[in-house]
Coordinates of all heavy atoms in Angstrom, one line a residue:
M1 N 25.5 5.5 3.4 CA 24.5 4.5 3.3 C 23.1 5.1 3.7 O 23.1 6.0 4.5 CB 24.8 3.3 4.1 CG 25.9 2.5 3.6 SD 26.2 1.0 4.4 CE 27.1 1.6 5.9
I2 N 22.1 4.5 3.2 CA 20.8 5.0 3.6 C 19.9 3.8 4.0 O 20.1 2.7 3.6 CB 20.1 5.8 2.4 CG1 19.8 4.8 1.3 CG2 20.9 7.0 2.0 CD1 18.7 5.4 0.3
L3 N 18.8 4.2 4.7 CA 17.8 3.2 5.1 C 16.7 3.3 4.1 O 16.3 4.4 3.7 CB 17.3 3.4 6.5 CG 16.3 2.5 7.1 CD1 16.9 1.1 7.2 CD2 15.9 3.0 8.5
G4 N 16.2 2.1 3.6 CA 15.1 2.2 2.7 C 14.1 1.0 2.8 O 14.4 0.1 3.5
R5 N 13.1 1.1 2.1 CA 12.1 0.0 2.0 C 11.9 -0.4 0.5 O 11.7 0.4 -0.3 CB 10.7 0.5 2.6 CG 9.7 -0.6 2.5 CD 8.3 -0.2 3.0 NE 8.3 0.4 4.4 CZ 8.2 1.7 4.7 NH1 8.1 2.6 3.7 NH2 8.2 2.1 5.9
V6 N 11.9 -1.7 0.3 CA 11.7 -2.2 -1.1 C 10.3 -2.1 -1.4 O 9.4 -2.6 -0.7 CB 12.1 -3.7 -1.2 CG1 11.9 -4.3 -2.6 CG2 13.6 -3.9 -0.8
I7 N 10.0 -1.4 -2.5 CA 8.6 -1.2 -2.9 C 8.2 -1.9 -4.2 O 7.1 -1.9 -4.6 CB 8.2 0.3 -3.0 CG1 9.1 1.1 -4.0 CG2 8.3 1.0 -1.6 CD1 8.6 2.5 -4.3
G8 N 9.2 -2.4 -4.8 CA 9.0 -3.2 -6.1 C 10.2 -3.6 -6.8 O 11.4 -3.4 -6.3
S9 N 10.0 -4.3 -7.9 CA 11.1 -4.8 -8.7 C 11.1 -4.3 -10.1 O 10.0 -3.9 -10.5 CB 11.1 -6.4 -8.8 OG 11.2 -7.0 -7.5
I10 N 12.2 -4.3 -10.8 CA 12.2 -3.9 -12.2 C 12.8 -5.0 -13.0 O 13.8 -5.6 -12.7 CB 13.1 -2.6 -12.3 CG1 12.5 -1.5 -11.6 CG2 13.3 -2.3 -13.8 CD1 13.3 -0.2 -11.6
W11 N 12.1 -5.3 -14.1 CA 12.6 -6.4 -15.0 C 13.0 -5.6 -16.3 O 12.3 -4.8 -16.8 CB 11.5 -7.4 -15.3 CG 11.2 -8.3 -14.2 CD1 11.8 -9.5 -13.9 CD2 10.2 -8.0 -13.2 NE1 11.3 -10.0 -12.7 CE2 10.3 -9.1 -12.3 CE3 9.3 -7.0 -12.9 CZ2 9.5 -9.2 -11.1 CZ3 8.5 -7.2 -11.8 CH2 8.6 -8.3 -10.9
A12 N 14.2 -6.0 -16.8 CA 14.7 -5.4 -18.0 C 15.4 -6.5 -18.8 O 16.4 -7.1 -18.3 CB 15.7 -4.2 -17.7
T13 N 14.9 -6.8 -19.9 CA 15.5 -7.9 -20.7 C 16.8 -7.5 -21.4 O 17.7 -8.3 -21.6 CB 14.5 -8.4 -21.8 OG1 14.1 -7.4 -22.6 CG2 13.3 -9.1 -21.1
Q14 N 16.9 -6.2 -21.7 CA 18.1 -5.7 -22.3 C 18.9 -4.8 -21.2 O 18.2 -3.8 -20.8 CB 17.8 -4.8 -23.5 CG 17.1 -5.6 -24.6 CD 18.0 -6.7 -25.2 OE1 19.2 -6.5 -25.4 NE2 17.5 -7.9 -25.4
K15 N 20.1 -5.1 -20.9 CA 20.9 -4.3 -19.9 C 22.3 -4.1 -20.4 O 22.8 -4.9 -21.3 CB 21.0 -5.1 -18.6 CG 19.6 -5.4 -17.9 CD 19.9 -6.1 -16.6 CE 18.6 -6.6 -16.0 NZ 18.8 -7.5 -14.9
E16 N 22.9 -3.2 -19.9 CA 24.3 -2.9 -20.2 C 25.2 -4.1 -19.7 O 24.8 -4.8 -18.8 CB 24.8 -1.6 -19.5 CG 24.4 -0.3 -20.1 CD 25.0 -0.1 -21.4 OE1 26.2 -0.4 -21.6 OE2 24.4 0.5 -22.3
E17 N 26.3 -4.2 -20.4 CA 27.3 -5.2 -20.1 C 27.7 -5.1 -18.6 O 27.8 -4.0 -18.1 CB 28.6 -5.1 -20.9 CG 29.5 -6.2 -20.7 CD 30.7 -6.2 -21.7 OE1 30.5 -5.6 -22.8 OE2 31.8 -6.6 -21.3
G18 N 27.8 -6.2 -17.9 CA 28.1 -6.2 -16.5 C 26.9 -6.2 -15.6 O 27.0 -6.3 -14.4
M19 N 25.7 -6.1 -16.2 CA 24.5 -6.0 -15.4 C 23.6 -7.3 -15.7 O 22.5 -7.3 -15.1 CB 23.7 -4.8 -15.7 CG 24.4 -3.6 -15.2 SD 23.4 -2.0 -15.5 CE 22.1 -2.4 -14.4
S20 N 24.1 -8.2 -16.5 CA 23.2 -9.4 -16.8 C 23.1 -10.2 -15.4 O 24.0 -10.2 -14.6 CB 23.8 -10.2 -17.9 OG 25.1 -10.7 -17.5
Q21 N 22.0 -10.9 -15.3 CA 21.7 -11.7 -14.1 C 21.7 -10.8 -12.8 O 21.8 -11.3 -11.8 CB 22.8 -12.8 -13.9 CG 23.0 -13.6 -15.1 CD 21.7 -14.4 -15.5 OE1 21.1 -14.9 -14.7 NE2 21.4 -14.4 -16.8
L22 N 21.4 -9.5 -13.0 CA 21.3 -8.6 -11.8 C 19.9 -8.3 -11.5 O 19.2 -7.8 -12.4 CB 22.1 -7.4 -12.1 CG 22.6 -6.5 -11.0 CD1 23.5 -7.4 -10.0 CD2 23.5 -5.4 -11.5
K23 N 19.5 -8.5 -10.3 CA 18.1 -8.1 -9.9 C 18.1 -6.6 -9.5 O 19.0 -6.2 -8.8 CB 17.7 -8.9 -8.7 CG 16.3 -8.7 -8.1 CD 16.1 -9.6 -6.9 CE 14.8 -9.3 -6.2 NZ 14.7 -10.1 -5.0
L24 N 17.1 -5.9 -10.1 CA 17.0 -4.5 -9.7 C 15.7 -4.2 -8.9 O 14.6 -4.8 -9.2 CB 16.9 -3.7 -11.1 CG 18.1 -3.8 -12.0 CD1 17.8 -3.1 -13.3 CD2 19.3 -3.2 -11.3
L25 N 15.9 -3.4 -7.8 CA 14.8 -3.1 -6.9 C 14.5 -1.6 -6.9 O 15.4 -0.9 -7.0 CB 15.1 -3.6 -5.5 CG 15.4 -5.1 -5.3 CD1 15.8 -5.4 -3.9 CD2 14.1 -5.9 -5.7
M26 N 13.2 -1.3 -6.7 CA 12.8 0.1 -6.4 C 12.8 0.2 -4.9 O 12.1 -0.5 -4.2 CB 11.5 0.4 -7.0 CG 11.5 0.3 -8.5 SD 9.8 0.8 -9.2 CE 8.9 -0.7 -8.8
I27 N 13.6 1.2 -4.4 CA 13.8 1.4 -3.0 C 13.3 2.8 -2.6 O 13.6 3.8 -3.3 CB 15.3 1.4 -2.6 CG1 15.9 0.1 -3.1 CG2 15.4 1.6 -1.1 CD1 15.5 -1.2 -2.4
E28 N 12.4 2.9 -1.6 CA 12.0 4.2 -1.1 C 12.8 4.5 0.1 O 12.8 3.8 1.1 CB 10.5 4.1 -0.7 CG 10.0 5.3 0.0 CD 8.5 5.2 0.5 OE1 8.2 4.1 1.0 OE2 7.8 6.1 0.3
P29 N 13.6 5.6 0.1 CA 14.3 6.0 1.3 C 13.4 6.3 2.4 O 12.3 6.9 2.2 CB 15.1 7.2 0.8 CG 15.2 7.1 -0.7 CD 13.9 6.5 -1.1
I30 N 13.7 5.9 3.6 CA 12.9 6.1 4.8 C 13.7 6.7 6.0 O 14.9 6.4 6.0 CB 12.1 4.9 5.2 CG1 13.0 3.7 5.5 CG2 11.1 4.5 4.2 CD1 12.4 2.5 6.1
T31 N 13.0 7.3 6.9 CA 13.6 7.7 8.1 C 13.6 6.5 9.1 O 13.0 5.5 8.8 CB 12.9 8.8 8.9 OG1 11.6 8.3 9.2 CG2 12.7 10.0 7.9
W32 N 14.3 6.6 10.2 CA 14.2 5.5 11.1 C 12.9 5.2 11.7 O 12.6 4.1 12.2 CB 15.2 5.7 12.3 CG 15.0 6.8 13.2 CD1 15.4 8.1 13.0 CD2 14.2 6.8 14.4 NE1 14.9 8.9 14.0 CE2 14.2 8.1 14.9 CE3 13.5 5.9 15.0 CZ2 13.5 8.5 16.0 CZ3 12.8 6.2 16.2 CH2 12.8 7.5 16.7
K33 N 12.0 6.2 11.5 CA 10.6 6.0 12.0 C 9.7 5.4 10.9 O 8.5 5.1 11.1 CB 10.0 7.3 12.3 CG 10.6 7.9 13.6 CD 9.9 9.3 14.0 CE 10.4 9.8 15.3 NZ 9.7 11.0 15.7
G34 N 10.3 5.1 9.7 CA 9.6 4.5 8.6 C 8.9 5.5 7.7 O 8.1 5.1 6.8
E35 N 9.1 6.8 7.9 CA 8.5 7.8 7.0 C 9.3 8.0 5.7 O 10.6 7.9 5.8 CB 8.4 9.1 7.8 CG 7.6 8.9 9.1 CD 7.8 10.1 10.0 OE1 8.7 10.9 9.8 OE2 7.0 10.2 11.0
P36 N 8.6 8.3 4.6 CA 9.4 8.6 3.4 C 10.4 9.7 3.6 O 10.2 10.6 4.3 CB 8.3 9.0 2.4 CG 7.0 8.4 3.0 CD 7.2 8.4 4.4
A37 N 11.6 9.5 2.9 CA 12.7 10.4 3.1 C 13.4 10.8 1.8 O 14.7 10.9 1.9 CB 13.6 9.9 4.2
G38 N 12.8 10.9 0.7 CA 13.5 11.2 -0.5 C 13.0 10.5 -1.7 O 12.0 9.8 -1.7
Q39 N 13.7 10.8 -2.8 CA 13.3 10.2 -4.1 C 13.6 8.7 -4.2 O 14.5 8.3 -3.6 CB 14.0 10.9 -5.2 CG 13.5 12.4 -5.4 CD 14.2 13.0 -6.6 OE1 15.3 12.7 -7.0 NE2 13.4 13.9 -7.2
L40 N 12.8 8.1 -5.0 CA 12.9 6.7 -5.3 C 14.4 6.4 -5.8 O 14.9 7.1 -6.6 CB 11.9 6.3 -6.4 CG 12.0 4.9 -6.9 CD1 11.3 3.9 -5.9 CD2 11.2 4.8 -8.2
I41 N 14.9 5.2 -5.4 CA 16.2 4.8 -5.9 C 16.0 3.4 -6.5 O 15.3 2.6 -6.1 CB 17.2 4.6 -4.7 CG1 17.4 5.9 -3.9 CG2 18.5 4.0 -5.1 CD1 18.1 5.8 -2.6
I42 N 16.7 3.2 -7.6 CA 16.8 1.9 -8.2 C 18.1 1.3 -7.8 O 19.2 1.9 -8.1 CB 16.6 2.0 -9.8 CG1 15.3 2.5 -10.1 CG2 16.9 0.6 -10.4 CD1 15.1 2.8 -11.6
A43 N 18.1 0.2 -7.2 CA 19.4 -0.4 -6.7 C 19.5 -1.9 -7.1 O 18.5 -2.6 -7.2 CB 19.3 -0.4 -5.1
A44 N 20.7 -2.3 -7.4 CA 21.1 -3.7 -7.7 C 21.0 -4.4 -6.4 O 21.3 -4.0 -5.3 CB 22.5 -3.7 -8.2
D45 N 20.6 -5.8 -6.5 CA 20.5 -6.6 -5.3 C 21.0 -8.0 -5.6 O 20.5 -8.7 -6.5 CB 19.0 -6.7 -4.9 CG 18.7 -7.6 -3.8 OD1 19.5 -7.6 -2.8 OD2 17.8 -8.4 -3.8
R46 N 22.0 -8.4 -4.8 CA 22.5 -9.8 -4.9 C 22.2 -10.6 -3.7 O 22.5 -11.8 -3.6 CB 24.0 -9.8 -5.1 CG 24.4 -9.2 -6.5 CD 25.9 -9.5 -6.8 NE 26.8 -9.0 -5.7 CZ 28.1 -9.1 -5.8 NH1 28.7 -9.5 -6.9 NH2 28.9 -8.6 -4.8
I47 N 21.6 -10.0 -2.7 CA 21.3 -10.7 -1.4 C 19.9 -11.2 -1.3 O 19.6 -11.8 -0.3 CB 21.8 -9.9 -0.2 CG1 21.0 -8.6 -0.1 CG2 23.3 -9.6 -0.3 CD1 21.4 -7.8 1.2
G48 N 19.0 -10.9 -2.2 CA 17.7 -11.4 -2.1 C 16.6 -10.7 -1.3 O 15.8 -11.3 -0.7
A49 N 16.7 -9.4 -1.3 CA 15.7 -8.6 -0.5 C 14.4 -8.7 -1.3 O 14.3 -8.8 -2.5 CB 16.2 -7.1 -0.4
G50 N 13.3 -8.6 -0.5 CA 12.0 -8.7 -1.1 C 11.1 -7.5 -0.7 O 11.4 -6.7 0.1
R51 N 10.0 -7.4 -1.5 CA 9.0 -6.3 -1.3 C 8.6 -6.1 0.2 O 8.3 -7.1 0.9 CB 7.8 -6.6 -2.2 CG 6.9 -5.4 -2.2 CD 5.8 -5.7 -3.2 NE 5.0 -4.4 -3.2 CZ 4.6 -3.9 -4.3 NH1 4.8 -4.5 -5.5 NH2 3.8 -2.8 -4.3
G52 N 8.7 -4.9 0.7 CA 8.3 -4.6 2.0 C 9.4 -4.6 3.0 O 9.3 -4.1 4.1
E53 N 10.5 -5.2 2.7 CA 11.6 -5.3 3.6 C 12.4 -4.0 3.7 O 12.6 -3.3 2.8 CB 12.6 -6.4 3.2 CG 12.1 -7.8 3.4 CD 13.1 -8.9 3.2 OE1 13.6 -9.0 2.0 OE2 13.3 -9.6 4.1
R54 N 12.9 -3.7 4.9 CA 13.8 -2.6 5.1 C 15.2 -3.1 4.8 O 15.6 -4.1 5.1 CB 13.8 -2.1 6.6 CG 12.4 -1.5 7.0 CD 12.4 -1.1 8.4 NE 12.7 -2.3 9.2 CZ 12.6 -2.4 10.5 NH1 12.3 -1.3 11.2 NH2 12.8 -3.5 11.2
V55 N 15.9 -2.2 4.1 CA 17.2 -2.5 3.6 C 18.2 -1.4 3.8 O 17.8 -0.2 4.0 CB 17.2 -2.8 2.0 CG1 16.4 -4.1 1.8 CG2 16.6 -1.7 1.2
I56 N 19.5 -1.7 3.7 CA 20.6 -0.7 3.8 C 21.1 -0.6 2.3 O 21.4 -1.6 1.7 CB 21.7 -1.1 4.7 CG1 21.1 -1.3 6.1 CG2 22.8 -0.1 4.7 CD1 22.1 -2.1 7.0
V57 N 21.2 0.6 1.8 CA 21.6 0.8 0.5 C 22.9 1.7 0.5 O 22.9 2.7 1.1 CB 20.6 1.5 -0.4 CG1 21.0 1.8 -1.8 CG2 19.3 0.7 -0.4
S58 N 23.9 1.2 -0.3 CA 25.1 2.0 -0.5 C 25.0 2.6 -1.8 O 24.5 2.0 -2.8 CB 26.3 1.1 -0.4 OG 27.5 1.8 -0.5
R59 N 25.6 3.9 -2.0 CA 25.5 4.6 -3.2 C 26.8 5.1 -3.7 O 27.7 5.2 -2.9 CB 24.5 5.8 -3.1 CG 23.1 5.3 -2.7 CD 22.2 6.5 -2.7 NE 21.8 6.8 -4.0 CZ 21.1 7.9 -4.4 NH1 20.6 8.6 -3.4 NH2 20.9 8.2 -5.6
G60 N 26.9 5.4 -4.9 CA 28.1 6.0 -5.5 C 29.2 5.0 -5.8 O 29.0 3.8 -6.0
S61 N 30.5 5.4 -5.7 CA 31.6 4.6 -6.0 C 31.7 3.3 -5.2 O 32.0 2.2 -5.7 CB 32.9 5.3 -5.8 OG 32.9 6.5 -6.5
P62 N 31.4 3.3 -3.9 CA 31.4 2.1 -3.1 C 30.4 1.0 -3.7 O 30.7 -0.2 -3.7 CB 30.9 2.5 -1.7 CG 31.3 3.9 -1.6 CD 31.1 4.5 -3.0
A63 N 29.3 1.4 -4.2 CA 28.4 0.5 -4.8 C 29.0 -0.1 -6.1 O 28.8 -1.3 -6.3 CB 27.0 1.2 -5.2
R64 N 29.6 0.6 -6.9 CA 30.2 0.2 -8.1 C 31.3 -0.8 -7.9 O 31.5 -1.8 -8.6 CB 30.7 1.4 -9.0 CG 31.2 0.9 -10.3 CD 31.5 2.1 -11.2 NE 30.4 3.0 -11.4 CZ 30.4 4.3 -10.9 NH1 31.4 4.7 -10.2 NH2 29.3 5.0 -11.1
I65 N 32.1 -0.6 -6.8 CA 33.2 -1.5 -6.5 C 32.8 -2.9 -6.2 O 33.5 -3.8 -6.5 CB 34.0 -0.9 -5.3 CG1 34.7 0.4 -5.7 CG2 35.0 -1.9 -4.7 CD1 35.3 1.2 -4.6
I66 N 31.6 -3.1 -5.7 CA 31.1 -4.4 -5.4 C 31.0 -5.2 -6.7 O 31.2 -6.4 -6.7 CB 29.7 -4.3 -4.7 CG1 29.9 -3.8 -3.3 CG2 29.0 -5.7 -4.6 CD1 28.7 -3.5 -2.5
F67 N 30.7 -4.6 -7.7 CA 30.5 -5.2 -9.0 C 31.7 -4.9 -9.9 O 32.8 -4.5 -9.4 CB 29.2 -4.7 -9.7 CG 28.0 -5.1 -9.0 CD1 27.4 -4.2 -8.1 CD2 27.4 -6.3 -9.1 CE1 26.3 -4.5 -7.3 CE2 26.3 -6.7 -8.4 CZ 25.8 -5.7 -7.5
H68 N 31.7 -5.0 -11.2 CA 32.7 -4.6 -12.1 C 32.8 -3.1 -12.1 O 31.8 -2.4 -12.1 CB 32.5 -5.2 -13.5 CG 32.2 -6.6 -13.5 ND1 33.3 -7.5 -13.5 CD2 31.1 -7.4 -13.5 CE1 32.7 -8.7 -13.5 NE2 31.4 -8.7 -13.5
K69 N 34.0 -2.6 -12.1 CA 34.2 -1.1 -12.2 C 33.5 -0.5 -13.4 O 33.2 0.7 -13.3 CB 35.6 -0.7 -12.1 CG 36.3 -1.0 -10.8 CD 37.7 -0.5 -10.7 CE 38.3 -0.9 -9.4 NZ 38.5 0.2 -8.5
S70 N 33.3 -1.2 -14.5 CA 32.7 -0.7 -15.7 C 31.2 -0.8 -15.6 O 30.5 -0.2 -16.5 CB 33.2 -1.4 -16.9 OG 32.9 -2.8 -16.8
A71 N 30.6 -1.5 -14.7 CA 29.2 -1.6 -14.6 C 28.5 -0.3 -14.2 O 29.0 0.4 -13.2 CB 28.7 -2.7 -13.6
P72 N 27.5 0.1 -14.9 CA 26.9 1.4 -14.5 C 25.9 1.4 -13.3 O 24.7 1.6 -13.5 CB 26.1 1.8 -15.8 CG 25.8 0.5 -16.4 CD 26.9 -0.5 -16.0
I73 N 26.4 1.1 -12.2 CA 25.7 0.9 -11.0 C 26.0 2.0 -10.0 O 27.2 2.2 -9.7 CB 25.9 -0.5 -10.4 CG1 25.4 -1.5 -11.3 CG2 25.3 -0.6 -9.0 CD1 25.8 -2.9 -11.0
D74 N 25.0 2.7 -9.5 CA 25.3 3.7 -8.4 C 24.6 3.5 -7.1 O 24.7 4.3 -6.2 CB 25.0 5.1 -9.0 CG 23.5 5.4 -9.2 OD1 22.7 4.4 -9.1 OD2 23.2 6.6 -9.5
A75 N 23.9 2.3 -7.0 CA 23.2 2.0 -5.7 C 23.1 0.5 -5.7 O 22.8 -0.2 -6.6 CB 21.8 2.6 -5.7
V76 N 23.4 -0.1 -4.5 CA 23.3 -1.5 -4.3 C 22.8 -1.8 -2.9 O 23.1 -1.1 -1.9 CB 24.7 -2.2 -4.5 CG1 25.7 -1.7 -3.5 CG2 24.6 -3.7 -4.5
V77 N 21.9 -2.8 -2.8 CA 21.5 -3.3 -1.4 C 22.6 -4.0 -0.8 O 23.1 -5.0 -1.3 CB 20.3 -4.2 -1.6 CG1 19.8 -4.7 -0.2 CG2 19.1 -3.4 -2.2
V78 N 23.0 -3.6 0.4 CA 24.2 -4.2 1.1 C 23.7 -5.0 2.3 O 24.5 -5.7 3.0 CB 25.3 -3.2 1.4 CG1 25.9 -2.7 0.1 CG2 24.8 -2.1 2.3
G79 N 22.4 -4.8 2.7 CA 21.9 -5.5 3.9 C 20.4 -5.4 4.0 O 19.8 -4.5 3.6
I80 N 19.9 -6.5 4.7 CA 18.5 -6.5 4.9 C 18.4 -6.4 6.5 O 19.0 -7.1 7.3 CB 17.8 -7.9 4.5 CG1 18.0 -8.1 3.0 CG2 16.4 -7.9 5.0 CD1 17.5 -9.5 2.6
V81 N 17.6 -5.3 6.9 CA 17.5 -5.0 8.3 C 16.5 -5.9 9.0 O 15.3 -6.0 8.6 CB 17.0 -3.5 8.4 CG1 16.8 -3.1 9.9 CG2 17.9 -2.6 7.7
D82 N 17.0 -6.6 10.0 CA 16.2 -7.4 10.9 C 15.6 -6.6 12.0 O 14.4 -6.7 12.3 CB 17.0 -8.5 11.5 CG 17.6 -9.5 10.5 OD1 16.8 -9.9 9.6 OD2 18.7 -9.9 10.6
S83 N 16.4 -5.7 12.6 CA 15.9 -4.8 13.7 C 16.9 -3.7 13.9 O 18.0 -3.9 13.5 CB 15.6 -5.6 14.9 OG 16.8 -6.1 15.5
F84 N 16.5 -2.7 14.6 CA 17.5 -1.7 15.1 C 16.9 -1.0 16.3 O 15.7 -1.2 16.6 CB 17.8 -0.7 14.0 CG 16.6 0.1 13.4 CD1 16.2 1.2 14.0 CD2 16.0 -0.4 12.3 CE1 15.1 2.0 13.5 CE2 14.9 0.3 11.8 CZ 14.5 1.5 12.4
E85 N 17.8 -0.3 17.0 CA 17.4 0.3 18.2 C 17.8 1.8 18.2 O 18.9 2.1 17.7 CB 18.1 -0.3 19.4 CG 17.7 0.2 20.8 CD 18.4 -0.5 21.9 OE1 18.4 -1.8 21.9 OE2 19.0 0.1 22.7
V86 N 16.9 2.7 18.5 CA 17.2 4.1 18.5 C 16.8 4.7 19.9 O 15.7 4.4 20.4 CB 16.4 4.8 17.4 CG1 16.6 6.3 17.4 CG2 16.7 4.3 16.1
N87 N 17.7 5.5 20.4 CA 17.4 6.2 21.7 C 17.0 7.6 21.3 O 17.8 8.4 20.8 CB 18.6 6.2 22.6 CG 19.0 4.9 23.1 OD1 18.2 4.1 23.3 ND2 20.3 4.7 23.3
E88 N 15.7 7.9 21.5 CA 15.2 9.2 21.1 C 15.6 10.2 22.2 O 15.7 9.9 23.3 CB 13.6 9.2 21.1 CG 13.0 8.4 19.9 CD 11.6 8.7 19.8 OE1 11.2 9.8 19.5 OE2 10.9 7.7 20.0
P89 N 16.0 11.4 21.7 CA 16.4 12.5 22.6 C 15.2 12.9 23.5 O 14.0 12.9 23.1 CB 16.8 13.6 21.8 CG 16.4 13.3 20.4 CD 16.1 11.8 20.3
E90 N 15.4 13.2 24.8 CA 14.3 13.6 25.7 C 13.9 15.0 25.3 O 14.8 15.8 25.1 CB 14.8 13.5 27.1 CG 15.0 12.0 27.5 CD 15.5 12.0 29.0 OE1 15.1 12.8 29.8 OE2 16.1 11.0 29.3
E91 N 12.7 15.3 25.4 CA 12.2 16.7 25.1 C 12.0 17.4 26.4 O 11.9 17.0 27.4 CB 10.8 16.5 24.4 CG 11.0 16.0 23.0 CD 9.7 15.8 22.3 OE1 8.8 16.7 22.6 OE2 9.5 15.0 21.4

């Protein structure tokens, strides 16, 4: 799983079977400090994440299992982050 920030939505009127009624979001992977940490991800979302929110994204087979096994999905939003706590190592 990765931590990310929702930076936008994608609308597609034509989708593969198994993807109808599915909201697609553009997710920017981020570090725990909120800094960019990789390439943009397009993820399916059934929990209602919105622009600017921090989210947890699952990728690969675990993402596909949430939907139909035949759906061409490799990333899904599995949580909206309310808060987290990190203990930074002492220098």
Side-chain angles (χ1 to χ4, degrees):
M1 287 187 281
I2 65 162
L3 181 62
R5 181 183 302 106
V6 179
I7 60 170
S9 298
I10 295 178
W11 289 272
T13 55
Q14 300 294 318
K15 297 179 191 175
E16 283 291 327
E17 187 175 330
M19 294 185 67
S20 61
Q21 306 300 316
L22 201 56
K23 180 179 173 185
L24 299 174
L25 298 177
M26 292 185 288
I27 309 291
E28 174 185 42
I30 58 173
T31 67
W32 65 270
K33 291 182 177 182
E35 300 165 348
Q39 292 186 327
L40 176 77
I41 297 169
I42 297 173
D45 173 43
R46 292 194 305 185
I47 62 175
R51 189 178 184 131
E53 289 188 299
R54 291 178 299 185
V55 293
I56 302 166
V57 177
S58 181
R59 300 185 74 186
S61 306
R64 187 174 302 111
I65 290 169
I66 292 175
F67 297 96
H68 304 278
K69 290 190 184 245
S70 62
I73 295 168
D74 69 353
V76 63
V77 174
V78 295
I80 299 172
V81 178
D82 295 315
S83 66
F84 59 86
E85 182 177 314
V86 176
N87 293 327
E88 289 191 67
E90 296 181 24
E91 294 182 24

